[in-house]
Coordinates of all heavy atoms in Angstrom, one line a residue:
M1 N 0.8 -1.2 0.0 CA 0.0 0.0 0.0 C 0.9 1.2 0.0 O 0.6 2.2 -0.7 CB -0.9 0.0 1.2 CG -1.5 1.3 1.6 SD -2.3 1.3 3.2 CE -2.3 3.0 3.6
D2 N 1.9 1.2 0.8 CA 2.7 2.5 1.0 C 3.7 2.6 -0.1 O 4.9 2.4 0.1 CB 3.3 2.5 2.4 CG 3.8 3.9 2.7 OD1 3.6 4.8 1.9 OD2 4.3 4.1 3.8
E3 N 3.3 3.1 -1.3 CA 4.2 3.2 -2.4 C 4.6 4.7 -2.6 O 5.2 5.0 -3.6 CB 3.5 2.7 -3.7 CG 3.1 1.3 -3.7 CD 4.3 0.4 -4.0 OE1 5.1 0.7 -4.9 OE2 4.4 -0.7 -3.3
C4 N 4.3 5.5 -1.6 CA 4.5 6.9 -1.8 C 5.9 7.3 -1.5 O 6.5 7.0 -0.5 CB 3.6 7.7 -0.9 SG 3.8 9.5 -0.9
R5 N 6.5 8.1 -2.4 CA 7.9 8.6 -2.2 C 7.9 10.0 -1.6 O 9.0 10.6 -1.5 CB 8.6 8.7 -3.6 CG 8.7 7.3 -4.3 CD 8.8 7.5 -5.8 NE 7.6 7.9 -6.4 CZ 7.4 8.9 -7.3 NH1 8.4 9.6 -7.7 NH2 6.2 9.2 -7.7
H6 N 6.8 10.5 -1.2 CA 6.7 11.8 -0.7 C 6.6 11.9 0.8 O 6.4 13.0 1.4 CB 5.6 12.6 -1.3 CG 5.6 12.5 -2.8 ND1 5.0 11.5 -3.5 CD2 6.2 13.3 -3.7 CE1 5.3 11.7 -4.8 NE2 6.0 12.8 -5.0
T7 N 6.5 10.8 1.5 CA 6.2 10.8 2.9 C 7.3 11.6 3.7 O 7.0 12.2 4.7 CB 6.1 9.4 3.5 OG1 7.2 8.6 3.1 CG2 4.9 8.7 3.0
R8 N 8.5 11.6 3.2 CA 9.5 12.4 3.9 C 9.3 13.9 3.8 O 9.9 14.7 4.5 CB 10.9 12.0 3.4 CG 11.3 12.6 2.0 CD 12.7 12.3 1.6 NE 12.8 11.0 0.9 CZ 12.8 10.9 -0.4 NH1 12.8 12.0 -1.2 NH2 12.8 9.7 -1.0
D9 N 8.4 14.3 2.8 CA 8.1 15.7 2.7 C 7.0 16.1 3.5 O 6.6 17.3 3.5 CB 7.8 16.0 1.2 CG 8.9 15.7 0.3 OD1 10.1 15.8 0.7 OD2 8.7 15.3 -0.9
I10 N 6.3 15.2 4.2 CA 5.2 15.6 5.1 C 5.7 16.4 6.2 O 6.6 16.0 7.0 CB 4.5 14.3 5.6 CG1 3.8 13.6 4.5 CG2 3.4 14.7 6.7 CD1 3.2 12.2 4.9
G11 N 5.2 17.6 6.4 CA 5.8 18.5 7.4 C 4.7 18.9 8.4 O 3.6 18.6 8.3
K12 N 5.2 19.5 9.5 CA 4.3 20.0 10.5 C 3.9 21.4 9.9 O 4.7 22.2 9.6 CB 5.1 20.3 11.8 CG 5.5 19.0 12.5 CD 4.4 18.5 13.4 CE 4.8 17.2 14.1 NZ 3.6 16.3 14.2
V13 N 2.6 21.6 9.8 CA 2.1 22.8 9.2 C 1.1 23.5 10.1 O 0.5 22.8 11.0 CB 1.4 22.6 7.8 CG1 2.5 22.1 6.8 CG2 0.3 21.6 8.0
T14 N 0.9 24.7 9.9 CA -0.2 25.5 10.6 C -1.3 25.7 9.6 O -1.1 26.3 8.6 CB 0.3 26.8 11.1 OG1 1.5 26.6 11.9 CG2 -0.7 27.6 11.9
P15 N -2.5 25.2 9.9 CA -3.6 25.4 9.0 C -3.9 26.8 8.7 O -3.8 27.7 9.6 CB -4.8 24.8 9.8 CG -4.2 23.8 10.7 CD -2.9 24.4 11.1
S16 N -4.1 27.1 7.4 CA -4.2 28.5 6.9 C -5.6 29.1 7.3 O -5.7 30.3 7.3 CB -4.1 28.5 5.4 OG -5.1 27.7 4.8
A17 N -6.6 28.3 7.6 CA -7.9 28.8 7.9 C -8.7 27.8 8.7 O -8.2 26.6 8.8 CB -8.6 29.2 6.7
L18 N -9.8 28.1 9.3 CA -10.6 27.2 10.0 C -11.4 26.3 9.1 O -11.8 25.1 9.5 CB -11.6 27.9 11.0 CG -10.9 28.6 12.1 CD1 -12.0 29.3 13.0 CD2 -10.1 27.7 13.0
G19 N -11.7 26.8 7.9 CA -12.4 26.0 6.9 C -11.7 26.1 5.6 O -10.6 26.7 5.5
C20 N -12.3 25.7 4.5 CA -11.7 25.9 3.2 C -11.5 27.4 2.9 O -12.4 28.2 2.9 CB -12.5 25.3 2.1 SG -11.9 25.7 0.4
E21 N -10.2 27.7 2.7 CA -9.8 29.1 2.6 C -10.6 29.8 1.5 O -11.2 30.9 1.7 CB -8.3 29.1 2.1 CG -7.5 30.1 2.9 CD -6.0 30.0 2.4 OE1 -5.4 28.9 2.6 OE2 -5.5 31.0 1.8
E22 N -10.7 29.2 0.3 CA -11.4 29.9 -0.8 C -12.9 29.9 -0.6 O -13.5 30.9 -1.0 CB -11.0 29.2 -2.2 CG -9.6 29.5 -2.7 CD -8.6 28.4 -2.3 OE1 -8.9 27.6 -1.4 OE2 -7.5 28.4 -2.8
C23 N -13.4 28.8 -0.1 CA -14.9 28.7 0.1 C -15.3 29.8 1.1 O -16.4 30.4 1.0 CB -15.3 27.4 0.5 SG -15.3 26.1 -0.8
L24 N -14.5 30.0 2.2 CA -14.9 31.0 3.2 C -14.9 32.4 2.5 O -15.8 33.2 2.8 CB -13.9 31.0 4.3 CG -14.0 29.8 5.3 CD1 -12.8 29.9 6.3 CD2 -15.3 29.9 6.0
K25 N -14.0 32.6 1.6 CA -13.9 33.9 0.9 C -15.1 34.1 0.0 O -15.7 35.2 -0.1 CB -12.6 34.1 0.1 CG -11.4 34.4 1.0 CD -10.2 34.6 0.1 CE -8.9 34.6 1.0 NZ -7.8 34.0 0.4
S26 N -15.5 33.0 -0.7 CA -16.6 33.2 -1.7 C -18.0 32.8 -1.1 O -19.0 33.0 -1.8 CB -16.3 32.3 -2.9 OG -16.3 30.9 -2.5
G27 N -18.0 32.3 0.1 CA -19.3 32.0 0.7 C -19.8 30.7 0.1 O -21.0 30.4 0.1
S28 N -18.9 29.8 -0.4 CA -19.4 28.5 -0.9 C -19.4 27.4 0.1 O -18.8 27.6 1.2 CB -18.4 28.1 -2.0 OG -18.3 29.1 -3.0
K29 N -20.1 26.3 -0.2 CA -20.2 25.2 0.8 C -19.1 24.2 0.4 O -18.7 24.1 -0.7 CB -21.6 24.6 0.7 CG -22.6 25.5 1.1 CD -24.0 24.9 1.0 CE -25.1 25.9 1.3 NZ -26.4 25.3 1.3
W30 N -18.8 23.4 1.4 CA -17.9 22.2 1.2 C -18.4 21.0 1.9 O -19.3 21.1 2.8 CB -16.5 22.5 1.6 CG -16.3 22.7 3.1 CD1 -16.3 21.8 4.1 CD2 -16.2 24.0 3.8 NE1 -16.2 22.4 5.3 CE2 -16.1 23.7 5.2 CE3 -16.1 25.3 3.4 CZ2 -15.9 24.7 6.1 CZ3 -16.0 26.3 4.3 CH2 -15.9 26.0 5.7
V31 N -17.9 19.8 1.5 CA -18.3 18.6 2.2 C -17.3 18.2 3.2 O -17.6 18.0 4.4 CB -18.6 17.5 1.1 CG1 -19.0 16.2 1.8 CG2 -19.6 18.0 0.1
H32 N -16.1 18.0 2.8 CA -15.0 17.6 3.7 C -13.8 18.5 3.5 O -13.6 19.1 2.4 CB -14.5 16.2 3.5 CG -15.6 15.2 3.8 ND1 -16.1 15.0 5.1 CD2 -16.3 14.3 3.1 CE1 -17.1 14.1 5.1 NE2 -17.2 13.6 3.9
L33 N -12.9 18.6 4.5 CA -11.8 19.5 4.4 C -10.5 18.6 4.2 O -10.4 17.5 4.7 CB -11.6 20.3 5.6 CG -12.7 21.4 5.9 CD1 -12.5 22.1 7.2 CD2 -12.8 22.4 4.7
R34 N -9.6 19.2 3.5 CA -8.3 18.6 3.2 C -7.2 19.6 3.5 O -7.3 20.7 3.1 CB -8.2 18.2 1.7 CG -9.3 17.2 1.3 CD -9.1 15.8 1.9 NE -10.1 14.9 1.5 CZ -11.0 14.4 2.3 NH1 -11.2 14.9 3.5 NH2 -11.9 13.5 1.9
L35 N -6.2 19.1 4.2 CA -5.1 20.1 4.6 C -3.8 19.7 3.9 O -3.4 18.5 3.9 CB -4.9 19.9 6.1 CG -3.7 20.6 6.7 CD1 -3.9 22.1 6.8 CD2 -3.4 20.1 8.1
C36 N -3.2 20.7 3.3 CA -1.9 20.5 2.6 C -0.8 20.3 3.6 O -0.6 21.3 4.4 CB -1.7 21.6 1.6 SG 0.0 21.6 0.8
R37 N -0.1 19.2 3.5 CA 1.0 19.0 4.5 C 2.3 19.6 4.1 O 3.3 19.4 4.7 CB 1.1 17.5 4.8 CG 0.0 17.0 5.7 CD -0.1 17.6 7.1 NE 1.0 17.4 7.9 CZ 1.1 16.4 8.9 NH1 0.0 15.6 9.1 NH2 2.1 16.3 9.6
T38 N 2.3 20.4 3.0 CA 3.5 21.1 2.6 C 3.4 22.5 3.1 O 4.4 23.0 3.6 CB 3.6 21.1 1.1 OG1 3.7 19.7 0.6 CG2 4.9 21.8 0.6
C39 N 2.3 23.2 2.9 CA 2.2 24.6 3.3 C 1.1 24.9 4.2 O 1.0 26.1 4.7 CB 2.0 25.4 2.0 SG 0.4 25.3 1.2
G40 N 0.2 24.0 4.5 CA -0.9 24.3 5.5 C -2.2 24.8 4.9 O -3.1 25.2 5.6
H41 N -2.2 24.9 3.5 CA -3.5 25.3 2.9 C -4.6 24.4 3.2 O -4.5 23.2 3.2 CB -3.2 25.3 1.4 CG -4.5 25.6 0.5 ND1 -5.3 24.5 0.1 CD2 -5.0 26.7 0.1 CE1 -6.3 25.1 -0.6 NE2 -6.2 26.4 -0.6
V42 N -5.8 25.0 3.6 CA -7.0 24.2 3.9 C -7.9 24.4 2.6 O -8.2 25.5 2.2 CB -7.7 24.7 5.1 CG1 -8.9 23.9 5.4 CG2 -6.8 24.6 6.3
G43 N -8.2 23.2 2.1 CA -9.1 23.2 0.9 C -10.2 22.2 1.1 O -10.3 21.6 2.1
C44 N -11.1 22.1 0.1 CA -12.2 21.2 0.2 C -12.0 20.0 -0.7 O -11.3 20.0 -1.7 CB -13.5 21.9 -0.1 SG -13.5 22.9 -1.6
C45 N -12.7 18.9 -0.4 CA -12.5 17.6 -1.1 C -13.2 17.5 -2.4 O -13.9 18.5 -2.8 CB -13.1 16.5 -0.2 SG -14.9 16.5 -0.2
D46 N -13.0 16.4 -3.1 CA -13.6 16.3 -4.5 C -15.1 16.1 -4.5 O -15.7 16.1 -5.5 CB -12.9 15.1 -5.2 CG -11.5 15.6 -5.7 OD1 -11.2 16.7 -5.6 OD2 -10.8 14.7 -6.2
D47 N -15.7 15.8 -3.3 CA -17.2 15.8 -3.2 C -17.8 17.1 -3.1 O -19.0 17.3 -3.1 CB -17.6 14.9 -2.1 CG -17.2 13.4 -2.3 OD1 -17.2 13.0 -3.4 OD2 -16.9 12.8 -1.3
S48 N -16.9 18.1 -2.9 CA -17.4 19.5 -2.7 C -17.5 20.1 -4.1 O -16.8 19.8 -5.0 CB -16.4 20.3 -1.8 OG -16.1 19.6 -0.6
P49 N -18.4 21.1 -4.2 CA -18.6 21.7 -5.6 C -17.3 22.3 -6.2 O -17.1 22.3 -7.4 CB -19.7 22.8 -5.3 CG -20.3 22.5 -4.0 CD -19.3 21.7 -3.2
N50 N -16.5 22.9 -5.3 CA -15.3 23.6 -5.9 C -14.0 22.9 -5.9 O -13.0 23.4 -6.5 CB -15.2 25.0 -5.1 CG -16.4 25.9 -5.4 OD1 -16.6 26.3 -6.5 ND2 -17.1 26.2 -4.4
R51 N -13.9 21.8 -5.1 CA -12.7 21.0 -5.2 C -11.4 21.7 -5.0 O -10.4 21.6 -5.8 CB -12.6 20.2 -6.5 CG -13.8 19.3 -6.7 CD -13.8 18.5 -8.0 NE -14.9 17.7 -8.1 CZ -15.1 16.8 -9.1 NH1 -14.1 16.6 -10.0 NH2 -16.1 16.0 -9.1
H52 N -11.3 22.6 -4.0 CA -10.2 23.5 -3.9 C -8.9 22.8 -3.5 O -7.8 23.2 -3.8 CB -10.5 24.6 -2.8 CG -11.4 25.6 -3.4 ND1 -12.6 26.0 -2.8 CD2 -11.3 26.4 -4.5 CE1 -13.2 26.9 -3.5 NE2 -12.4 27.2 -4.6
A53 N -9.0 21.6 -2.8 CA -7.8 20.9 -2.4 C -7.1 20.4 -3.7 O -5.8 20.5 -3.8 CB -8.1 19.7 -1.5
T54 N -7.9 19.8 -4.6 CA -7.3 19.3 -5.9 C -6.8 20.5 -6.7 O -5.7 20.4 -7.3 CB -8.3 18.5 -6.7 OG1 -8.7 17.4 -5.9 CG2 -7.8 18.0 -8.0
K55 N -7.5 21.6 -6.7 CA -7.0 22.8 -7.5 C -5.7 23.3 -6.9 O -4.8 23.7 -7.6 CB -8.0 23.9 -7.4 CG -9.2 23.7 -8.4 CD -10.2 24.8 -8.3 CE -11.4 24.4 -9.2 NZ -12.6 25.3 -8.9
H56 N -5.6 23.2 -5.5 CA -4.3 23.6 -4.9 C -3.2 22.7 -5.3 O -2.1 23.2 -5.6 CB -4.5 23.5 -3.4 CG -3.3 23.9 -2.6 ND1 -2.8 25.2 -2.5 CD2 -2.4 23.1 -1.9 CE1 -1.7 25.2 -1.8 NE2 -1.4 24.0 -1.4
F57 N -3.4 21.4 -5.4 CA -2.4 20.5 -5.9 C -2.0 20.9 -7.3 O -0.8 21.0 -7.6 CB -2.9 19.1 -5.8 CG -2.0 18.1 -6.7 CD1 -0.7 17.9 -6.3 CD2 -2.5 17.6 -7.8 CE1 0.1 17.1 -7.1 CE2 -1.7 16.7 -8.6 CZ -0.4 16.5 -8.2
H58 N -2.9 21.1 -8.2 CA -2.6 21.4 -9.6 C -1.8 22.7 -9.7 O -0.9 22.9 -10.5 CB -3.8 21.4 -10.5 CG -4.4 20.1 -10.7 ND1 -3.6 19.1 -11.3 CD2 -5.6 19.5 -10.4 CE1 -4.4 17.9 -11.4 NE2 -5.5 18.2 -10.8
A59 N -2.1 23.7 -8.8 CA -1.5 25.0 -8.9 C -0.1 24.9 -8.3 O 0.8 25.6 -8.7 CB -2.3 26.0 -8.2
T60 N 0.1 24.1 -7.2 CA 1.4 24.2 -6.5 C 2.2 22.9 -6.6 O 3.4 23.0 -6.2 CB 1.1 24.4 -5.0 OG1 0.3 23.2 -4.5 CG2 0.2 25.6 -4.7
K61 N 1.6 21.8 -7.0 CA 2.3 20.5 -7.0 C 2.6 20.0 -5.6 O 3.5 19.1 -5.4 CB 3.6 20.5 -7.9 CG 3.3 20.9 -9.3 CD 2.4 20.0 -10.0 CE 2.1 20.5 -11.4 NZ 0.8 20.0 -11.9
H62 N 2.0 20.5 -4.6 CA 2.2 20.0 -3.2 C 1.4 18.6 -3.2 O 0.2 18.6 -3.3 CB 1.6 20.9 -2.2 CG 2.3 22.2 -2.1 ND1 1.8 23.4 -1.5 CD2 3.6 22.6 -2.5 CE1 2.7 24.4 -1.6 NE2 3.8 23.9 -2.2
P63 N 2.2 17.5 -2.9 CA 1.6 16.2 -3.2 C 0.6 15.6 -2.1 O -0.2 14.8 -2.4 CB 2.8 15.3 -3.3 CG 3.9 15.9 -2.5 CD 3.6 17.4 -2.6
I64 N 0.8 16.0 -0.8 CA 0.2 15.3 0.3 C -0.9 16.1 0.9 O -0.7 17.3 1.4 CB 1.2 14.9 1.4 CG1 2.4 14.1 0.7 CG2 0.5 14.1 2.5 CD1 2.2 12.7 0.6
I65 N -2.1 15.6 1.0 CA -3.2 16.2 1.8 C -3.6 15.3 2.9 O -3.6 14.1 2.8 CB -4.4 16.5 0.9 CG1 -4.8 15.3 0.1 CG2 -4.2 17.8 0.1 CD1 -6.3 15.3 -0.3
E66 N -4.0 15.9 4.0 CA -4.5 15.2 5.2 C -6.0 15.3 5.3 O -6.5 16.4 5.1 CB -3.8 15.7 6.4 CG -4.3 15.1 7.7 CD -3.5 15.7 8.9 OE1 -2.6 16.5 8.8 OE2 -3.9 15.4 10.1
G67 N -6.7 14.2 5.6 CA -8.1 14.3 5.9 C -8.3 15.1 7.2 O -7.6 14.9 8.2
Y68 N -9.2 16.1 7.2 CA -9.0 17.2 8.2 C -10.3 17.6 8.9 O -10.3 18.6 9.5 CB -8.4 18.4 7.5 CG -7.9 19.4 8.5 CD1 -7.0 19.1 9.5 CD2 -8.4 20.7 8.5 CE1 -6.6 20.0 10.4 CE2 -8.0 21.6 9.4 CZ -7.1 21.3 10.4 OH -6.7 22.2 11.3
D69 N -11.3 16.8 8.9 CA -12.5 17.3 9.6 C -13.3 16.1 10.2 O -14.3 15.8 9.8 CB -13.4 18.0 8.6 CG -13.8 17.1 7.4 OD1 -13.0 16.3 7.0 OD2 -14.9 17.3 6.9
P70 N -12.9 15.7 11.4 CA -11.6 16.0 12.1 C -10.4 15.2 11.5 O -10.6 14.4 10.7 CB -11.9 15.6 13.5 CG -12.9 14.4 13.3 CD -13.7 14.7 12.1
P71 N -9.2 15.5 12.0 CA -8.1 14.7 11.6 C -8.3 13.2 11.9 O -8.6 12.9 13.0 CB -6.9 15.3 12.4 CG -7.3 16.6 12.8 CD -8.8 16.5 13.0
E72 N -8.1 12.4 10.9 CA -8.5 11.0 11.0 C -7.2 10.1 10.9 O -7.4 8.9 10.9 CB -9.5 10.6 9.9 CG -10.9 11.2 10.2 CD -11.8 11.1 9.0 OE1 -11.3 11.1 7.9 OE2 -13.0 11.0 9.3
G73 N -6.1 10.7 10.7 CA -4.8 9.8 10.7 C -4.4 9.3 9.4 O -3.6 8.5 9.3
W74 N -5.1 9.8 8.3 CA -4.7 9.4 7.0 C -4.4 10.6 6.1 O -4.8 11.7 6.4 CB -5.7 8.5 6.3 CG -7.1 9.2 6.1 CD1 -8.1 9.1 7.0 CD2 -7.5 10.0 5.1 NE1 -9.2 9.9 6.5 CE2 -8.8 10.4 5.3 CE3 -6.9 10.5 3.9 CZ2 -9.5 11.3 4.5 CZ3 -7.6 11.3 3.0 CH2 -8.9 11.7 3.3
A75 N -3.6 10.3 5.1 CA -3.3 11.3 4.1 C -3.4 10.7 2.7 O -3.5 9.5 2.6 CB -1.9 11.9 4.3
W76 N -3.4 11.5 1.7 CA -3.6 11.1 0.3 C -2.5 11.7 -0.5 O -2.3 12.9 -0.3 CB -4.9 11.4 -0.2 CG -5.1 11.2 -1.7 CD1 -5.1 12.1 -2.7 CD2 -5.4 10.0 -2.3 NE1 -5.3 11.5 -3.9 CE2 -5.5 10.2 -3.7 CE3 -5.6 8.6 -1.9 CZ2 -5.8 9.2 -4.7 CZ3 -5.8 7.6 -2.8 CH2 -5.9 7.9 -4.2
C77 N -1.8 10.9 -1.3 CA -0.8 11.5 -2.2 C -1.4 11.6 -3.6 O -1.8 10.6 -4.2 CB 0.5 10.6 -2.2 SG 1.7 11.3 -3.4
Y78 N -1.5 12.8 -4.1 CA -2.0 13.0 -5.4 C -1.1 12.5 -6.5 O -1.6 12.0 -7.6 CB -2.2 14.5 -5.7 CG -3.4 15.2 -5.0 CD1 -3.2 16.1 -4.0 CD2 -4.7 14.9 -5.5 CE1 -4.3 16.7 -3.5 CE2 -5.8 15.5 -4.9 CZ -5.6 16.4 -3.9 OH -6.7 17.0 -3.4
V79 N 0.2 12.5 -6.3 CA 1.1 12.0 -7.3 C 1.0 10.5 -7.5 O 0.9 10.0 -8.6 CB 2.5 12.5 -7.0 CG1 3.5 12.0 -8.1 CG2 2.6 14.0 -6.9
D80 N 1.1 9.8 -6.4 CA 1.2 8.3 -6.4 C -0.2 7.7 -6.3 O -0.4 6.5 -6.5 CB 2.0 7.8 -5.3 CG 3.5 8.3 -5.4 OD1 4.1 8.1 -6.5 OD2 4.0 8.9 -4.4
E81 N -1.2 8.5 -5.9 CA -2.6 8.1 -5.8 C -2.7 6.9 -4.8 O -3.3 5.9 -5.1 CB -3.2 7.7 -7.1 CG -3.2 9.0 -8.1 CD -4.0 8.7 -9.3 OE1 -3.9 7.6 -9.9 OE2 -4.8 9.7 -9.7
V82 N -2.1 7.1 -3.6 CA -2.2 6.1 -2.6 C -2.5 6.8 -1.3 O -2.2 8.0 -1.1 CB -0.8 5.3 -2.4 CG1 -0.6 4.4 -3.6 CG2 0.3 6.3 -2.1
F83 N -3.1 6.1 -0.4 CA -3.4 6.6 1.0 C -2.1 6.3 1.8 O -1.4 5.3 1.6 CB -4.5 5.8 1.7 CG -5.9 6.3 1.1 CD1 -6.6 5.5 0.2 CD2 -6.4 7.5 1.6 CE1 -7.8 6.0 -0.3 CE2 -7.6 7.9 1.1 CZ -8.3 7.2 0.2
V84 N -1.8 7.3 2.7 CA -0.7 7.2 3.6 C -1.2 7.2 5.0 O -2.0 8.0 5.4 CB 0.3 8.4 3.3 CG1 1.5 8.4 4.3 CG2 0.7 8.5 1.9
D85 N -0.6 6.3 5.8 CA -1.0 6.2 7.2 C -0.2 7.2 8.0 O 1.0 7.0 8.1 CB -0.8 4.8 7.7 CG -1.3 4.6 9.1 OD1 -1.8 5.6 9.7 OD2 -1.2 3.5 9.6
L86 N -0.8 8.2 8.6 CA -0.1 9.2 9.4 C 0.2 8.8 10.8 O 1.0 9.4 11.5 CB -0.8 10.5 9.4 CG -0.9 11.2 8.0 CD1 -1.9 12.4 8.2 CD2 0.4 11.7 7.6
G87 N -0.5 7.7 11.3 CA -0.3 7.4 12.7 C -0.7 8.5 13.6 O -1.8 9.1 13.4
D88 N 0.2 8.9 14.5 CA -0.1 10.0 15.4 C 0.3 11.3 14.8 O 0.1 12.4 15.5 CB 0.6 9.8 16.7 CG 0.1 8.6 17.5 OD1 -1.1 8.3 17.3 OD2 0.9 8.0 18.2
D89 N 0.8 11.4 13.6 CA 1.3 12.6 13.1 C 0.2 13.4 12.4 O 0.2 13.6 11.2 CB 2.4 12.3 12.1 CG 3.1 13.5 11.5 OD1 3.0 14.6 12.2 OD2 3.6 13.5 10.4
V90 N -0.8 13.7 13.2 CA -1.9 14.5 12.6 C -1.8 15.9 13.0 O -1.2 16.2 14.0 CB -3.3 13.9 13.1 CG1 -3.5 12.5 12.5 CG2 -3.4 13.9 14.6
T91 N -2.5 16.8 12.3 CA -2.5 18.2 12.6 C -3.7 18.6 13.4 O -4.8 18.4 12.9 CB -2.5 19.0 11.3 OG1 -1.4 18.5 10.5 CG2 -2.2 20.5 11.6
P92 N -3.5 19.1 14.6 CA -4.7 19.5 15.4 C -5.4 20.7 14.7 O -4.8 21.5 14.1 CB -4.1 19.9 16.8 CG -2.7 19.8 16.7 CD -2.3 19.3 15.3
Q93 N -6.7 20.7 14.9 CA -7.5 21.8 14.4 C -7.3 23.1 15.3 O -7.1 23.0 16.5 CB -8.9 21.5 14.3 CG -9.2 20.5 13.1 CD -10.6 20.0 13.1 OE1 -11.2 19.8 14.1 NE2 -11.0 19.7 11.9
N94 N -7.3 24.2 14.6 CA -7.1 25.5 15.3 C -8.3 25.9 16.2 O -8.3 26.7 17.1 CB -6.8 26.6 14.4 CG -5.4 26.6 14.0 OD1 -4.5 26.0 14.6 ND2 -5.0 27.3 12.9
G95 N -9.5 25.4 15.8 CA -10.7 25.8 16.4 C -11.9 25.1 15.7 O -11.7 24.3 14.8
P96 N -13.1 25.5 16.2 CA -14.2 24.8 15.5 C -14.3 25.2 14.0 O -14.0 26.3 13.6 CB -15.4 25.4 16.3 CG -14.9 26.6 17.1 CD -13.4 26.4 17.2
I97 N -14.7 24.2 13.3 CA -14.9 24.4 11.8 C -16.2 25.1 11.6 O -17.2 24.7 12.1 CB -14.8 23.0 11.1 CG1 -13.5 22.4 11.3 CG2 -15.2 23.2 9.6 CD1 -13.4 21.0 10.7
P98 N -16.2 26.2 10.8 CA -17.5 26.8 10.4 C -18.3 25.8 9.7 O -17.8 25.1 8.8 CB -17.0 28.0 9.5 CG -15.6 28.1 9.7 CD -15.0 26.8 10.2
R99 N -19.6 25.7 10.0 CA -20.5 24.8 9.4 C -21.6 25.5 8.6 O -22.1 26.5 9.1 CB -21.1 23.9 10.4 CG -20.2 22.9 11.1 CD -20.0 21.7 10.1 NE -18.9 20.8 10.7 CZ -18.3 19.9 10.0 NH1 -18.5 19.8 8.7 NH2 -17.4 19.1 10.6
F100 N -21.9 24.9 7.5 CA -23.0 25.4 6.7 C -24.2 24.5 6.9 O -24.0 23.3 6.9 CB -22.7 25.6 5.3 CG -21.6 26.6 5.0 CD1 -20.3 26.1 4.9 CD2 -21.9 27.9 5.0 CE1 -19.3 27.1 4.7 CE2 -20.9 28.8 4.8 CZ -19.6 28.4 4.6
V101 N -25.4 25.0 7.0 CA -26.6 24.1 7.1 C -27.5 24.3 5.9 O -27.3 25.3 5.2 CB -27.4 24.4 8.4 CG1 -26.8 23.5 9.5 CG2 -27.4 25.9 8.8
Ligands
ZN201 ZN1 3.7 10.3 -3.1
ZN202 ZN1 -13.3 25.0 -1.2
ZN203 ZN1 0.2 23.5 -0.3

């Protein structure tokens, strides 16, 4: 399973926002959050209308995102398309996630 060559690049990051950075700015909704483990960008998943985490990968080539709502101990590598087990190396949330109803 662990075929990812980028695990050494997984860093300690500070989340850039409490929810998806771009969705908060535009007032859009998201389904799940994804945290970039290279720079701390918070984006939304591919089930969300705007898919900002994937757009962030295409724009920056930052390979690793962490499932982030709440942190569940896994990450995804966009380059190798594999799940990565983070174990205890998860990023705590800064505060409550803004929710849309
Ligand atoms: Zn990888
Ligand atoms: Zn978004
Ligand atoms: Zn990034």
